[in-house]
Amino acid sequence: MAATAVRPSPNFILDEAEPEVDEPLPLDLVEPQDGEVVLDKSHCYIGDRGGDSLNITPEQAASCTKLSLRRNYIRNADTLLSAISPDCLTWLCLSANALTSVPVCVGKLVNLRHLYLCNNKISVIENLEGCKHLETLEFRHNQISKVEEGCLASLDKLQTLTLSSNHISTFSPNVFPTSLTFLGLYGNQIADFNLLLSVVERLSALKTVYMGANLCFGGLPLRCSFNITVEYQPVASGGEAKRQKCDLMQYGFSDVLRVVKEKQPSLISIDGNDV
């Protein structure tokens, strides 16, 4: 008999989900290191009653290394960011605004290492070609439906990529940089478990992955039971490549952890669970 997935309590879902990182402010912004010039322009009504100016001095604009513009009303950040020296900025937070696209000028921030764009209305990953030193890229809670081929091609130093809580249904496994140690795909619309497995298998440096609450798990966290059809890789038989299928009934939490870990032994955490 097919297994029935039982929706857990709301608290259980929150425990299973990928942790939020843009609230509260990261420690490296609250307590800057020597030589860093940090500007916190959060909650300043920029783009609304606060106008479209950062209201900073020329000295601050020329030396700013970390800038937070989260929780404003910004729809277009290009004018705002053009006031900041593109050579100095290493950390930028534009989370919780009204952005519908990645600002064009972001690609000119040649020394940017950490970029947070969570909780916007962005639908396409773009304008990142010049960010060759990027290590952290956060797109949680946007409207991205597809990860286009080549959109991350120049980010060969990227370690953390979060695309959770979007509308992603498909992508090429080769689209993600092999430098990734953290990948968040939680809460999307991925219906093919094998696609997730192929991504994990390719990322040999991966330590942490979040993949639950996708369509292949019935939209539920991994701690539920599932009915998943697993397609194994093609095998040679009589000179022809054939794909073998196996229906796994009661394919649940421990089974998912085991199969994912087998695909990528470097993993130490799957959806918050040690493996």
Side-chain angles (χ1 to χ4, degrees):
M1 180 179 296
T4 301
V6 178
R7 185 174 293 277
S9 66
N11 288 336
F12 187 87
I13 293 177
L14 290 174
D15 290 342
E16 182 77 8
E18 182 180 339
E20 300 289 343
V21 298
D22 59 329
E23 286 282 358
L25 281 173
L27 186 63
D28 60 353
L29 188 68
V30 178
E31 300 180 2
Q33 302 298 311
D34 292 340
E36 292 184 335
V37 178
V38 177
L39 297 178
D40 184 5
K41 293 292 180 177
S42 306
H43 303 270
C44 289
Y45 298 101
I46 299 173
D48 186 49
R49 286 176 286 172
D52 294 314
S53 173
L54 293 180
N55 294 318
I56 59 177
T57 67
E59 291 77 14
Q60 289 175 321
S63 57
C64 178
T65 56
K66 295 181 178 180
L67 174 63
S68 176
L69 293 169
R70 69 185 188 129
R71 296 198 176 279
N72 282 288
Y73 299 88
I74 301 169
R75 293 176 175 81
N76 187 333
D78 285 308
T79 301
L80 291 168
L81 294 179
S82 65
I84 302 292
S85 171
D87 297 327
C88 294
L89 203 60
T90 63
W91 192 103
L92 175 62
C93 180
L94 284 163
S95 294
N97 278 284
L99 297 174
T100 57
S101 62
V102 179
V104 174
C105 64
V106 166
K108 300 177 182 178
L109 303 176
V110 294
N111 291 311
L112 193 64
R113 294 173 56 193
H114 307 281
L115 177 60
Y116 302 88
L117 292 162
C118 306
N119 295 286
N120 280 287
K121 300 178 181 179
I122 296 170
S123 59
V124 178
I125 301 174
E126 58 185 350
N127 300 327
L128 298 173
E129 294 81 3
C131 302
K132 299 184 184 298
H133 296 285
L134 207 59
E135 298 175 6
T136 303
L137 180 57
E138 295 274 355
F139 274 110
R140 186 187 291 107
H141 293 294
N142 275 282
Q143 298 178 4
I144 299 167
S145 60
K146 184 179 180 181
V147 186
E148 299 286 350
E149 193 76 34
C151 67
L152 303 170
S154 63
L155 309 183
D156 57 8
K157 293 182 174 61
L158 192 64
Q159 298 178 22
T160 297
L161 174 62
T162 299
L163 295 166
S164 296
S165 300
N166 277 277
H167 309 301
I168 298 169
S169 59
T170 186
F171 46 77
S172 166
N174 298 325
V175 75
F176 300 110
T178 55
S179 54
L180 286 179
T181 60
F182 182 107
L183 176 61
L185 290 170
Y186 188 95
N188 278 283
Q189 299 186 25
I190 302 166
D192 186 356
F193 180 45
N194 299 282
L195 181 59
L196 291 171
L197 289 178
S198 63
V199 170
V200 169
E201 185 176 25
R202 180 177 174 274
L203 300 177
S204 58
L206 198 62
K207 301 297 183 184
T208 301
V209 65
Y210 282 85
M211 60 171 60
N214 273 285
L215 293 183
C216 57
F217 307 121
L220 299 175
L222 293 188
R223 288 188 181 275
C224 300
S225 296
F226 314 103
N227 299 320
I228 301 177
T229 299
V230 176
E231 290 192 3
Y232 294 101
Q233 294 298 316
V235 294
S237 177
E240 296 180 359
K242 294 184 179 180
R243 189 175 292 274
Q244 295 181 337
K245 292 186 178 181
C246 178
D247 276 336
L248 297 182
M249 309 302 289
Q250 297 285 345
Y251 195 63
F253 175 60
S254 60
D255 301 299
V256 172
L257 296 187
R258 172 180 54 78
V259 171
V260 175
K261 176 69 173 179
E262 287 175 355
K263 286 291 184 180
Q264 188 47 261
S266 69
L267 281 168
I268 60 175
S269 178
I270 301 172
D271 282 51
N273 300 280
D274 295 336
V275 293

